[in-house]
Amino acid sequence: QQQVKQSPQSLIVQKGGISIINCAYENTAFDYFPWYQQFPGKGPALLIAIRPDVSEKKEGRFTISFNKSAKQFSLHIMDSQPGDSATYFCAASNLDTDKLIFGTGTRLQVFP
Amino acid sequence: DVKVTQSSRYLVKRTGEKVFLECVQDMDHENMFWYRQDPGLGLRLIYFSYDVKMKEKGDIPEGYSVSREKKERFSLILESASTNQTSMYLCASSFWTGTTGELFFGEGSRLTVL
């Protein structure tokens, strides 16, 4: 069965610290790995995404690190801010289908 | 901006009732999806559609059906609601398959079945 395993389930970080969320996948046919951010009362929104032909992608304070051989990828949030407090979902898909398989989510809380 | 609108934010229904959840997108997207979100389980795909009058089962289709009569509208139907269908339901849409893969989500419909 296709699965994406995400950890930790919750994360508490002080302002200015680094938040790290990890995901692992099983299906080697996956070729698209996005992260979605969800604030309370809102739907998830795309934060950043990576294809497996690169090992890292950075957008501002957000970085995806990708390890194809280990079938793992992670989200790093540098200089975490209280406004980053949200639930983060990793996901994976084959772009031929657009059918995203989501992880179980990580609730991030950043305290001042 | 892309807008995906779910008509009902909160619903309370009784066991056995038929429930309709409506979703409309305004960006002429080909693909539409229904997910349910439960704590600790993440988002699970119920049904999706790549075109009008077309539907495919996702990972948890049991107890649900869908309808897509127009390109912009995708409805989720619970024929006979049960308490284990109490959940947050999220509709999403995307451009045709093979492009960015980005899903645009609505704000969700929280369904409580008593």
Side-chain angles (χ1 to χ4, degrees):
Chain A
Q1 184 180 2
Q2 298 182 6
Q3 277 191 325
V4 177
K5 295 182 179 179
Q6 183 173 347
S7 63
Q9 190 171 7
S10 64
L11 184 59
I12 299 174
V13 173
Q14 265 199 314
K15 179 182 176 181
I18 301 174
S19 303
I20 301 174
I21 305 170
N22 300 299
C23 284
Y25 63 98
E26 298 172 354
N27 188 342
T28 55
F30 287 151
D31 59 4
Y32 175 68
F33 302 90
W35 286 88
Y36 279 76
Q37 180 187 53
Q38 183 181 31
F39 292 106
K42 301 293 184 182
L46 180 65
L47 181 64
I48 186 173
I50 196 168
R51 300 291 300 275
D53 51 348
V54 297
S55 60
E56 185 175 283
K57 183 174 182 180
K58 185 175 181 179
E59 290 184 1
R61 296 183 294 107
F62 300 89
T63 300
I64 299 178
S65 297
F66 184 79
N67 185 330
K68 189 174 182 178
S69 61
K71 294 188 285 185
Q72 295 175 347
F73 59 110
S74 59
L75 176 69
H76 295 235
I77 306 174
M78 311 300 287
D79 187 25
S80 299
Q81 299 296 312
D84 297 331
S85 297
T87 299
Y88 293 81
F89 293 95
C90 63
S93 76
N94 184 314
L95 273 182
D96 287 343
T97 69
D98 267 3
K99 181 182 168 184
L100 276 177
I101 307 298
F102 284 86
T104 51
T106 296
R107 185 185 177 204
L108 172 64
Q109 296 175 274
V110 182
F111 286 97
Chain B
D1 278 353
V2 174
K3 193 162 180 68
V4 177
T5 303
Q6 297 184 229
S7 56
S8 302
R9 292 296 305 274
Y10 301 95
L11 303 95
V12 179
K13 298 292 182 181
R14 296 199 177 276
T15 301
E17 280 192 83
K18 190 169 186 176
V19 181
F20 291 88
L21 300 180
E22 303 285 339
C23 175
V24 178
Q25 51 94 3
D26 66 357
M27 278 301 291
D28 202 33
H29 284 173
E30 301 292 326
N31 305 332
M32 296 190 75
F33 307 82
W34 274 106
Y35 286 87
R36 70 176 275 178
Q37 180 177 5
D38 300 288
L41 297 178
L43 281 71
R44 294 178 292 166
L45 183 62
I46 305 172
Y47 267 97
F48 58 106
S49 170
Y50 290 143
D51 200 353
V52 176
K53 296 191 186 294
M54 178 271 176
K55 62 185 178 184
E56 287 197 30
K57 293 180 180 179
D59 299 318
I60 52 165
E62 296 78 19
Y64 303 95
S65 62
V66 291
S67 172
R68 195 169 180 198
E69 295 295 319
K70 294 185 178 181
K71 188 176 184 179
E72 68 272 17
R73 188 179 299 271
F74 193 37
S75 303
L76 180 69
I77 304 158
L78 288 68
E79 293 288 343
S80 178
S82 64
T83 55
N84 62 13
Q85 292 179 309
T86 293
S87 186
M88 171 68 83
Y89 290 88
L90 290 164
C91 175
S93 68
S94 70
F95 290 105
W96 53 89
T97 301
T99 57
T100 66
E102 180 175 1
L103 296 188
F104 296 86
F105 283 89
E107 295 192 326
S109 298
R110 183 166 293 281
L111 172 67
T112 301
V113 183
L114 303 176

